[in-house]
Amino acid sequence: MASKTQLIFELSQNTVKKLSNYENWAAFLRSASWQYKYSFEDQVLIYAQRPDATACASFEIWTDKLHRWINKGSKGIALLSDNNGHFKLNYVFDISDTNSFYGNEVKLWQYSNKHEAAVIETLENTFGELEVTTTVIDAVICAARNAVQDNKQDYLHELKYAKENSFLEELDDFNIEVAFERLATYSVASMILNRLGQNPDDIFAADDEFRNIIDFNTPETISILGSAASAIAENALGSIGKTIQAAEREEKLQAKKFAEKEKPVYDNNKENIERDDSHDRRDNLQDGGRLPDTRPHPAGGQSDNRQIRDDEKNVYQTAQTGAIQQSNDNRQADRPSFGDRPDGEGTTGIDYKADDRQGIPARQIDTADGVGTGNEQYPTLGGGNSSDGIGTQLSLFPTEEEQKNTIRKAEQANFAFGSAFSISQQMIDEVLCDGGNKNASKLRICTQYQKQKSPSENAVFLKDEYAVGGKGFMFGETPVSVWFDEGGIKIIYGKEVVTDEYTLSWEQAAKRVGELLDLGRYMPQEEINKAGFNERKELADKIWYLHQDRNGDFPLDEILFEGGFPESTARIAESLDNPKKRNQIIEGITGFAKAYGENHDLLRFRFHKPQELANNLSELLIERKQFIASEPISFGGKRFITQNEIDSALKRGSGIESGKMRIYSFFIRERDSKKRIDFLKNEYGIGGTSHAMNGVGHEDHNGKGITL
């Protein structure tokens, strides 16, 4: 009799094989739209066992975090967790399996027509200008098309290696691109629309928008398509949810002008549980708004170290044809993240995921420990709740009464003493006062606020300044990990950010940084005094590089560029401090930017942004706000490199062209640990690269390993 883990593994593979049928694909998209924060792999298993599930989370999250008990007799949805090549089972429960005391209801965002304008605006802000915005349906389709256009090359690259033995093999590259683009666009749109309460079946047709689904008839090809749809839809739905939550908070604020009693402390954890991360994935479309490196991983969630769930021949002794692909939110730093382009009725969802990467660890139950039983039946595909044979009996967890007692005690303790795990304002301020991971980050932040820009402009600036990365702080003996991405700044106790339990949005961060500067607590006076010089020096550097890469004449006096880089940039920076010379430089660069817009051959390389440089130079004329330091906050504790930063460095690959693909291909074929180690040692070789980790970071490769 096969073990329960093997049954779940086979269920996953068999489900994926059947997704190239339109009816099954459409049904999967409906299910996945409710589980958009999960990886594609997990979405497949939830669909296979509980296609009607709407909000899934682990036993620990329901009981410990949300203070809801699991109803007696409920059976969990089994998900796979790969632990160094050995699969274990994690279990999640749908919200319909849970119950609570009065006042502990989960609040889930809902879309209604009153949110239409705000949602359309959010889609435009996230995915760029939309061709049609007459209705939310039009906007969703256009947004999906924009996102797929920006990200398709990553997935098409994967399809080149995965199309073998599929019907795609009969198509040329052009027709594969057309088929993928069409399917990915309408799959993403279907997921979003379903979550907004619209019925995609009334909008799209099997013989039109989805006619090519039959060509993705192998686990590898359908997984690439599913990974793309999952990752892109996650970003969109996360942003939409955030928008709706903000609108609802504003409505409540306006409706509650009269005095209201404060809610108990224990109720705070129930608010806004659908916080946006963004994937993983992410990852947070103008300046290359592609999804961060989607290759060989399944798509989805937030902090997901999503491993390739390939054929575990050494575990199951069974020949499997392919892998469910996954994508990763903490991908290569050199790939731009989502959201850089110029939140129906009654829908719900939940923001917590099932395994130990999402915060409170789920129970990891290994069938070798006796979970599987001889009389368990093999589940069927998408046949409603098939957990009778596979779901774990609740008897494996505390009884309903035991859960209730635990919840009562936790709520009483929180009400009386407050949460023992809250992030204090002092911690938040120390994190903010440390700036981003780039050199001179705090000086640039100070300069931005001296320009007296709007709060929204400051929020956008901080998001770009911080980019994607992390830091580790030791507050006494307590490690606190920080991760910043498109969704904001996540702060959590421990050496890895595995949940967005506490997320400071970029709007909140921008507001607080402004307050700290006004209070004189953000940085010492000697640093404030350096902000202006740093701004001029960075602009001078860009002007120098622009001059170096020109084709033909340059509109500035060549005297500025005599003597090489340090001497020349110092001269340009000094000139920018002289009103007359500054105006000449601004006029010259502005004219060059205009000319470049008409003729890109004026520069040898396209990474330069002359117009942006001209705009930044013009801002030197803005009257600056003066900040006076009083008692600056500084972090005096020790630092550490978080697990997120380590994972991010590893996910960049060896740094050699196509290195990640070679590693991926080898790991699919080879399961032996020693051979994998030898391969990585040879692939990385001897060398190193610089990365921003806790402000400074370097990665050295040598015969003994990778040193960070």
Side-chain angles (χ1 to χ4, degrees), residues 363-381:
R363 295 289 177 95
Q364 295 205 349
I365 305 174
D366 190 347
T367 55
D369 295 331
V371 175
T373 60
N375 59 0
E376 291 175 341
Q377 301 298 312
Y378 188 86
T380 58
L381 167 64

Side-chain angles (χ1 to χ4, degrees), residues 530-599:
K530 295 176 183 177
F533 172 78
N534 181 74
E535 179 185 17
R536 295 190 296 275
K537 179 61 169 63
E538 290 186 348
L539 290 171
D541 291 349
K542 292 179 181 180
I543 293 171
W544 190 87
Y545 284 115
L546 196 68
H547 175 267
Q548 288 295 107
D549 293 335
R550 73 196 186 283
N551 279 324
D553 296 333
F554 199 69
L556 300 184
D557 193 333
E558 285 297 319
I559 295 177
L560 291 173
F561 304 98
E562 293 179 354
F565 180 80
E567 181 181 342
S568 174
T569 54
R571 186 181 301 114
I572 297 171
E574 183 179 353
S575 298
L576 290 174
D577 199 30
N578 180 296
K580 182 178 179 180
K581 294 180 179 180
R582 178 174 60 227
N583 290 337
Q584 292 173 346
I585 292 174
I586 293 174
E587 182 179 350
I589 297 299
T590 300
F592 184 83
K594 182 178 179 180
Y596 177 75
E598 300 170 354
N599 179 14

Side-chain angles (χ1 to χ4, degrees), residues 115-128 130 133 139 243:
H115 299 130
E116 185 173 31
V119 168
I120 291 175
E121 182 180 2
T122 293
L123 290 172
E124 283 201 300
N125 290 338
T126 305
F127 300 101
L130 306 180
T133 57
T243 295

Side-chain angles (χ1 to χ4, degrees), residues 623-642:
E623 183 178 353
R624 302 304 170 93
K625 182 177 182 178
Q626 299 301 313
F627 295 113
I628 305 299
S630 56
E631 299 178 14
I633 295 173
S634 63
F635 177 74
K638 297 180 180 179
R639 308 295 187 96
F640 66 91
I641 297 176
T642 66

Side-chain angles (χ1 to χ4, degrees), residues 314-330:
N314 293 338
V315 179
Y316 303 117
Q317 301 299 318
T318 178
Q320 169 218 337
T321 60
I324 295 183
Q325 303 243 354
Q326 296 188 353
S327 76
N328 208 305
D329 287 336
N330 301 327

Side-chain angles (χ1 to χ4, degrees), residues 321-347:
T321 60
I324 295 183
Q325 303 243 354
Q326 296 188 353
S327 76
N328 208 305
D329 287 336
N330 301 327
R331 302 177 182 94
Q332 283 177 294
D334 59 343
R335 289 192 177 276
S337 61
F338 232 143
D340 293 330
R341 286 182 73 102
D343 243 67
E345 291 276 357
T347 53

